[in-house]
Amino acid sequence: MPYPYHLIAFAVSAVVVLWSTPAVNKFGLKSGLFDVPDKRKVHQRPMVRLGGVSIFAGTLIALLVVWWSGGFVDARGQILPPNQEYEIWGVTIGGLAFFLIGLADDLFGLSPFSRLLIEVIVASASWKAGVQINFLSMPFQEALPLPDWIGLPITVLWLVGMVNATNWIDGLDGLAAGVSGIAAFVMLIVSLFMGQPAAALIVAALAGALLSFLRYNFNPAQIFMGDGGAYFVGFTLAGVGVIGLVKTTAFTSFALPYVILAVPILDMSAVILDRLRHGKSPFIADKRHLHHRLLKAGLSHRLTVLFIYSLTLWAGSWALAFAGVPHGLVYALAGTLLLGFTSWKVWQYIARRKNENFSPPSP
């Protein structure tokens, strides 16, 4: 199996992001392309929202290097058959399209309806290119084929939903980049184990880009990934979830992307339900997200981010176990212990803050 190509994709992407992000940040500051603080946002000074340019460039350049080197092959080391090649192009070009949608929103501001309409059109085009959920894996029996009239809306809902879920968790320094980087790394391992090395190359490059971007995005952040970055990252993770995991015949495969990406999925679902329950539009931004609630409970910025990282690692460790990765249950146990430890630290921190706030004044 061509593991060296995955290391090359990771390394090239990481180097490109480390080199290009300061230049992008400098350009954004000089051009006035930055985000001004307001009552809903956490940052206290103007921040450039073009970090997605570096993430996209790093991922794309890494994939082109691997492509020119002949690294896109199947599990037997042979040239990809046409249908798998179309899937790779579907994810790559779809990622480009979603990056441009997000970038346009960063630069010009798109209305929620027009943005959603374009997202559905691009996701539908990706489905046409082969990024399709077209069967449902069933335990102890053959996979259940899905007709196009069911497969198309399910695929579009998954792709568009993950794009927006990733964008919605991009509310604290390093949060979306770290959560997505962890998810990409887990998806890389699972895709390789399930015999999908070509799809794994995409998330290898994405993981390198995201984890390097944390060098500039972790608290205190120097730059944000913006909608362009979040849209690209969300679509790429969702696309690889389809062509690298759901396409396999293992009966757990259909659930694996949802387990790996459980944190942004559940956060978005809970926010939408809470907004509807209070008679609010699900598309109007507010402070109902998990990270907002943890900050309100008294957690520090960094502890909030690290706790959500531990949640993502915990979900990812169980995905490894469900996929049948060797020693997967050991990883799941380790992830559970890590989550237990961070939960205990969070409880301690909140309790200490409450005691400090309610302690009587000294005489």
Side-chain angles (χ1 to χ4, degrees):
M1 190 170 290
Y3 295 120
Y5 285 110
H6 297 85
L7 294 175
I8 291 172
F10 184 96
V12 170
S13 182
V15 170
V16 170
V17 170
L18 287 173
W19 173 79
S20 64
T21 302
V24 171
N25 192 32
K26 185 177 181 180
F27 171 80
L29 290 173
K30 284 188 173 181
S31 305
L33 302 174
F34 44 75
D35 193 35
V36 179
D38 61 30
K39 63 180 181 180
R40 194 186 67 82
K41 297 170 183 176
V42 176
H43 62 278
Q44 302 299 316
R45 59 187 177 87
M47 297 288 293
V48 174
R49 290 174 48 85
L50 299 177
V53 174
S54 296
I55 296 172
F56 171 74
T59 305
L60 181 61
I61 291 172
L63 293 178
L64 289 174
V65 169
V66 173
W67 186 276
W68 289 329
S69 303
F72 275 93
V73 294
D74 62 17
R76 296 172 298 175
Q78 298 179 355
I79 297 175
L80 290 177
N83 63 316
Q84 292 187 28
E85 188 173 349
Y86 292 150
E87 292 172 358
I88 298 297
W89 280 111
V91 173
T92 305
I93 297 176
L96 167 62
F98 270 96
F99 166 70
L100 294 176
I101 295 170
L103 185 62
D105 193 36
D106 287 327
L107 297 177
F108 311 112
L110 303 177
S111 70
F113 177 78
S114 62
R115 191 170 60 238
L116 181 61
L117 178 62
I118 299 172
E119 290 172 12
V120 170
I121 293 172
V122 173
S124 300
S126 299
W127 176 87
K128 187 68 175 177
V131 185
Q132 301 178 356
I133 300 175
N134 51 19
F135 65 84
L136 179 63
S137 300
M138 305 292 289
F140 313 115
Q141 57 182 307
E142 293 184 0
L144 177 66
L146 296 176
D148 289 350
W149 63 271
I150 295 179
L152 173 59
I154 290 178
T155 303
V156 170
L157 179 63
W158 165 247
L159 296 175
V160 173
M162 269 312 306
V163 164
N164 288 279
T166 304
N167 192 40
W168 284 12
I169 65 166
D170 188 23
L172 295 181
D173 296 354
L175 183 56
V179 167
S180 301
I182 294 168
F185 193 77
V186 172
M187 202 171 285
L188 164 64
I189 297 172
V190 175
S191 297
L192 286 173
F193 177 75
M194 302 184 81
Q196 300 289 333
L201 281 168
I202 300 176
V203 278
L206 183 65
L210 288 168
L211 296 180
S212 293
F213 185 66
L214 283 175
R215 161 68 178 79
Y216 306 102
N217 185 237
F218 193 72
N219 180 259
Q222 303 172 41
I223 188 172
F224 294 158
M225 70 167 62
D227 288 356
Y231 280 27
F232 170 69
V233 171
F235 176 83
T236 303
L237 289 173
V240 173
V242 172
I243 70 170
L245 305 183
V246 174
K247 290 280 186 179
T248 61
T249 56
F251 77 86
T252 57
S253 63
F254 191 81
L256 285 175
Y258 305 99
V259 177
I260 296 172
L261 299 167
V263 170
I265 291 172
L266 293 177
D267 179 65
M268 181 179 70
S269 301
V271 168
I272 289 175
L273 290 174
D274 194 43
R275 288 172 181 171
L276 292 175
R277 186 166 61 90
H278 288 87
K280 305 292 184 180
S281 168
F283 304 109
I284 301 300
D286 53 29
K287 287 193 172 184
R288 301 174 191 266
H289 293 281
L290 174 62
H291 54 273
H292 290 133
R293 296 178 186 274
L294 291 173
L295 289 174
K296 187 177 181 180
L299 264 66
S300 67
H301 191 127
R302 286 195 173 190
L303 187 54
T304 296
V305 172
L306 292 174
F307 176 68
I308 298 177
Y309 283 1
S310 71
L311 279 174
T312 309
L313 280 168
W314 175 73
S317 68
W318 278 103
L320 296 178
F322 293 154
V325 172
H327 311 297
L329 287 176
V330 176
Y331 299 139
L333 176 60
T336 302
L337 291 175
L338 175 63
L339 179 60
F341 174 74
T342 54
S343 299
W344 174 64
K345 297 297 287 186
V346 164
W347 179 83
Q348 275 192 325
Y349 188 92
I350 293 176
R352 185 168 65 249
R353 289 291 299 269
K354 286 184 177 179
N355 289 335
E356 291 173 354
N357 292 335
F358 290 102
S359 58
S362 56

